[in-house]
Amino acid sequence: MEISHSPEQPLELPLDIDSIKGFLDPQEGAALYRLAAEASDLGPCLEVGSYCGKSTVYLGSACKLMGNTLFAVDHHRGSEEHQPGEEYHDRDLFDERSQLMDSFHNFRSNMRAADLEECVVPVVASSAIAARHWNTPLGLVFIDGGHSLEAAMTDYRCWSRHVVPGGYLAIHDIFPNPADGGQAPFEIYRLALASAQFELVEMVKTLGILRRIQ
């Protein structure tokens, strides 16, 4: 079954999505919105890697519409590529006092501007720490955290097991060709399919949408 979405039809989001820092394509965001709405009958949604909240607004807006909850997991210290001297470093998100990246203030401001504070629950911790005692079944898990193989594998192992049968696992930045991008998300995507627990539903640009079948 394909998830119905029309990239040409803009979503009615609570604020200008382009004003939020991030790397999510609008077509991918629209697919996440509709996926979160569909998954809401199965359980709460969870994303790994919120950054400044672009994907959170898409997912959270759908959860708000459906009376559901989105857990947004991120330590807000930035991934490897966000650190000083790296390709995606943003000086505006660097905290001079701590000499560390800190996207949480920006994230929280965006949640307030989008009126999503009542349905988005920020979990300010690493993926492994947040998952340590997690027991809540999830209708949707969206993985868009660190892109090192270690980080991606940790995210997959921590959270994919909490997706309920019929629920969805979405993985961002899947590049089958190494020349197009890093391979860690593609590796966990392949691992999920090889597990025989997930089946591919749809690819939307670099967003892989899988359903748990057992």
Side-chain angles (χ1 to χ4, degrees):
M1 180 189 70
E2 285 198 359
I3 298 161
S4 174
H5 70 280
S6 173
E8 293 78 18
Q9 182 178 1
L11 301 178
E12 294 185 8
L13 297 172
L15 78 171
D16 178 12
I17 198 69
D18 292 331
S19 69
I20 301 178
K21 296 176 185 287
F23 313 97
L24 188 70
D25 181 271
Q27 290 185 32
E28 296 169 340
L32 285 176
Y33 179 96
R34 292 175 172 86
L35 188 66
E38 182 173 328
S40 288
D41 286 341
L42 301 171
C45 300
L46 182 143
E47 71 169 355
V48 183
S50 304
Y51 194 47
C52 294
K54 188 182 286 286
S55 60
T56 321
V57 168
Y58 282 110
L59 293 165
S61 297
C63 286
K64 182 178 180 179
L65 178 68
M66 303 301 292
N68 200 12
T69 297
L70 171 66
F71 295 96
V73 178
D74 197 315
H75 48 55
H76 289 283
R77 294 302 188 190
S79 300
E80 300 85 353
E81 63 270 20
H82 299 142
Q83 303 309 312
E86 298 300 324
E87 182 178 3
Y88 293 103
H89 177 64
D90 186 333
R91 187 71 189 178
D92 291 341
L93 301 178
F94 188 76
D95 181 13
E96 295 289 351
R97 292 169 298 179
S98 65
Q99 289 293 294
L100 294 169
M101 294 297 296
D102 191 347
S103 57
F104 185 57
H105 176 76
N106 195 292
F107 170 86
R108 194 168 189 180
S109 295
N110 288 329
M111 293 307 101
R112 184 168 59 252
D115 194 25
L116 292 176
E117 291 180 307
E118 297 299 315
C119 65
V120 173
V121 180
V123 182
V124 186
S126 70
S127 190
I129 291 173
R132 187 179 294 165
H133 300 293
W134 189 273
N135 290 308
T136 303
L138 299 167
L140 165 66
V141 168
F142 171 51
I143 296 179
D144 191 21
H147 283 17
S148 69
L149 184 58
E150 180 182 4
M153 289 294 292
T154 296
D155 292 341
Y156 173 74
R157 288 169 175 161
C158 283
W159 298 108
S160 62
R161 60 193 177 94
H162 294 292
V163 178
V164 300
Y168 295 97
L169 173 66
I171 303 172
H172 192 226
D173 288 335
I174 295 175
F175 295 104
N177 184 350
D180 295 330
Q183 293 296 284
F186 181 55
E187 288 302 316
I188 63 170
Y189 163 78
R190 293 204 304 176
L191 187 62
L193 291 177
S195 73
Q197 293 183 318
F198 293 92
E199 63 180 358
L200 179 63
V201 175
E202 186 178 9
M203 287 292 304
V204 180
K205 295 203 167 182
T206 73
L207 177 69
I209 298 172
L210 300 91
R211 183 192 294 108
R212 182 159 195 163
I213 53 180
Q214 62 177 14

